[in-house]
Amino acid sequence: MLPFAKINKKYALLCVALLLVMGLSAYYMVYRSFSGGENPILLQETEVAKQDSKIKITKDTDIVQKILYLKCNEEEVLKTKPTENLVGLSIYQMQKIYEGWEFEKFDTNEAVMRLKVDGYCREHANNIFIGVKDNHVAVFYGRPGYKPIVKEITAIQVNKLMPHDIEELEKGMVVQSKEELLRTLEGMQSR
């Protein structure tokens, strides 16, 4: 039983020595910045957090909101000055107010934030036109000539239409309502 006790003492001494070396290394890494060395990672992160909480929105800060619409891949950028209730807020307070927004930049001159929306931008959501796609009459989101997005390709073949209808379709026929869209498509099918 005596050799077993000697082995345990050796392992215990080895563990204590290892812990001592690790402790001294950690002490050296954390506190060496006070002796003129590089700032350790731990202190840098703490310093950044302290600085971030000191940066506040002022009445002159530009608030830039970038909204990315995922269905049409359009980005809308809005630039405003802060309202009274935003003046004096830190980034952490702004993140609570603008939940879901990702902050790209935050300083006293400019706060830039981004939001991703699973939908269409106003241009594509509010405008519909009829045009041509793959030799068929098609319905598009948007305006003619402005990055149209196909909503639906109909069974109406373009080559069966009258020449003036084809010319209008190639330019793009803007419709103001679903009723007008249905009437126009119905009229083309009957020709």
Side-chain angles (χ1 to χ4, degrees), residues 6-33:
K6 286 183 181 181
I7 293 174
N8 279 340
K9 285 182 183 179
K10 286 181 184 179
Y11 282 117
L13 284 175
L14 182 62
C15 287
V16 169
L18 185 60
L19 286 173
L20 184 60
V21 168
M22 287 174 31
L24 287 173
S25 297
Y27 176 82
Y28 177 75
M29 292 294 293
V30 171
Y31 292 102
R32 78 180 197 182
S33 66

Side-chain angles (χ1 to χ4, degrees), residues 85-86 89 91-101:
N85 62 332
L86 297 179
L89 298 183
I91 188 169
Y92 305 112
Q93 294 164 321
M94 290 287 286
Q95 286 171 332
K96 287 180 183 175
I97 293 172
Y98 289 96
E99 201 171 305
W101 291 76

Side-chain angles (χ1 to χ4, degrees), residues 131-142:
V132 177
K133 175 81 174 166
D134 300 329
N135 285 328
H136 285 84
V137 175
V139 180
F140 295 88
Y141 289 112

Side-chain angles (χ1 to χ4, degrees), residues 61-87:
T61 304
D62 288 325
I63 306 290
V64 180
Q65 296 175 316
K66 298 178 179 180
I67 304 169
L68 177 63
Y69 297 93
L70 299 175
K71 288 193 176 180
C72 60
N73 206 30
E74 289 290 318
E75 184 176 72
E76 183 178 4
V77 179
L78 307 169
K79 186 175 181 180
T80 61
K81 291 293 183 187
T83 57
E84 278 186 35
N85 62 332
L86 297 179
V87 174

Side-chain angles (χ1 to χ4, degrees), residues 42-175:
L42 179 64
L43 291 179
Q44 286 177 353
E45 288 176 356
T46 305
E47 187 175 285
V48 169
K50 287 180 185 174
Q51 288 175 352
D52 283 350
S53 64
K54 290 180 182 177
I55 298 172
K56 308 278 186 190
I57 297 285
T58 68
K59 64 180 178 73
D60 297 320
T61 304
D62 288 325
I63 306 290
V64 180
Q65 296 175 316
K66 298 178 179 180
I67 304 169
L68 177 63
Y69 297 93
L70 299 175
K71 288 193 176 180
C72 60
N73 206 30
E74 289 290 318
E75 184 176 72
E76 183 178 4
V77 179
L78 307 169
K79 186 175 181 180
T80 61
K81 291 293 183 187
T83 57
E84 278 186 35
N85 62 332
L86 297 179
V87 174
L89 298 183
S90 69
I91 188 169
Y92 305 112
Q93 294 164 321
M94 290 287 286
Q95 286 171 332
K96 287 180 183 175
I97 293 172
Y98 289 96
E99 201 171 305
W101 291 76
E102 178 185 315
F103 282 80
E104 295 178 351
K105 180 182 178 185
F106 191 88
D107 59 33
T108 54
N109 296 325
E110 187 176 53
V112 180
M113 57 185 105
R114 177 181 299 278
L115 179 66
K116 293 179 181 177
V117 176
D118 187 27
Y120 293 103
C121 68
R122 291 178 220 181
E123 186 66 38
H124 286 105
N126 296 333
N127 295 299
I128 296 177
F129 73 95
I130 305 170
V132 177
K133 175 81 174 166
D134 300 329
N135 285 328
H136 285 84
V137 175
V139 180
F140 295 88
Y141 289 112
R143 290 180 297 159
Y146 177 79
K147 301 179 186 176
I149 296 173
V150 176
K151 177 181 179 187
E152 172 187 3
I153 298 176
T154 69
I156 305 168
Q157 294 179 350
V158 174
N159 59 3
K160 294 185 179 180
L161 298 175
M162 299 174 96
H164 72 278
D165 287 339
I166 295 171
E167 189 177 313
E168 276 189 69
L169 286 172
E170 287 174 347
K171 290 179 186 175
M173 296 174 60
V174 177
V175 291

